[in-house]
Amino acid sequence: MSRFWSPAVRALTPYVPGEQPREKLIKLNTNENPYPPSPAVEAVLQRFAVDHLRLYPDPESSALRQTLAKTYGVEPEQVFVGNGSDEVLALAFQTFFCQPKPLLMPAISYSFYPVYCKLYDIAYRTVALNDHWQIALEAFDTDNGGVVFANPNAPTGHGHPRQAIARLLERITESVVLVDEAYVDFGGESAIPLIEDHPNLLVTGTLSKSRSLAGLRVGYAIGSRELIDGLERVKNSFNSYPIDKLASEVAIASLEDDEHFQACCERVVATREWTRQQLEALGFEVLPSQTNFLFVRHSERNGATIFSELRERGILVRHFDKDGLRDFLRISIGTDDEMRSLIEALQATRQA
């Protein structure tokens, strides 16, 4: 540690992303989409005038917000955009959760949430998952400084239906409830229609997963105008130009190609179900998933060993070296060929 760091920085334990290997491996560890973005994206890249890059982008990202509003059936004033949903989440934590009362979150969920709390000095309390590895919405206390959870949840994969979230919002009305929908397009049910009746609901999303744009970094939030105004207030105190011109045009092209989007999601879901069946036949417990990954553990072998053996065979999955999770692996859904290679490698390690 450097003597020049502030005490707060010394106390941080940063989020650790999945490995991005330099060598050629089958990469099933970071929940990226295995298929390319819409052909309309390539068309934008080919015709984009490089001279546009000498000017600042629209600080309001008006065109992108209008397209997102049309996509999700809301008004542009109800939409906020940022550099990936991680930045949107970070700004939301600053805007809504620096409160005297603790923020509530699941004990097992996106591991960036407690990192944000440490960074912004936000008090928080975790709520245990139920016996089925599901977020127990009924366990969130009404006396809180906010609520945040992923739906479907990461890394466990379970998603609550919209009505379950509606019941939560009927109980919690005096603080912000943030629903992180990074994986909702792979079988979940979005809470966005609830925004009209619940001004304290903020829904975040990303173009990284189902839109195959993880390398672009575009995320969004949808909520009441008063919540979006708060986010804009913090954003404009931090970075007035978050979305560059090229990213905006590419994102718009992707959002407008609904046919490609739907086809990719359906393909991932079909491969996920085939993979689930194969893994169960090999003795794995596979948690039900509404995402583009599976959370699994073997009945006889520990997760760290399987992780190492797969890596030796050129396949990367995600292993969480944390209490309660050490036996589990999170396996992103790749192409059909990649998932067949995974199953063949697991069969080979079982026989070795």
Side-chain angles (χ1 to χ4, degrees), residues 204-216:
T204 61
T206 178
L207 275 63
S208 295
K209 313 299 184 184
S210 56
R211 300 279 176 177
S212 304
L213 292 175
L216 192 71

Side-chain angles (χ1 to χ4, degrees), residues 51-90:
D51 186 60
H52 290 175
L53 296 180
R54 67 182 179 83
L55 301 174
Y56 283 111
D58 172 13
E60 302 301 323
S61 300
S62 300
L64 176 56
R65 291 171 70 181
Q66 288 170 4
T67 303
L68 282 162
K70 182 179 179 181
T71 300
Y72 293 108
V74 297
E75 298 298 321
E77 295 80 11
Q78 295 177 286
V79 179
F80 178 86
V81 293
N83 289 294
S85 61
D86 286 336
E87 181 180 79
V88 175
L89 287 166

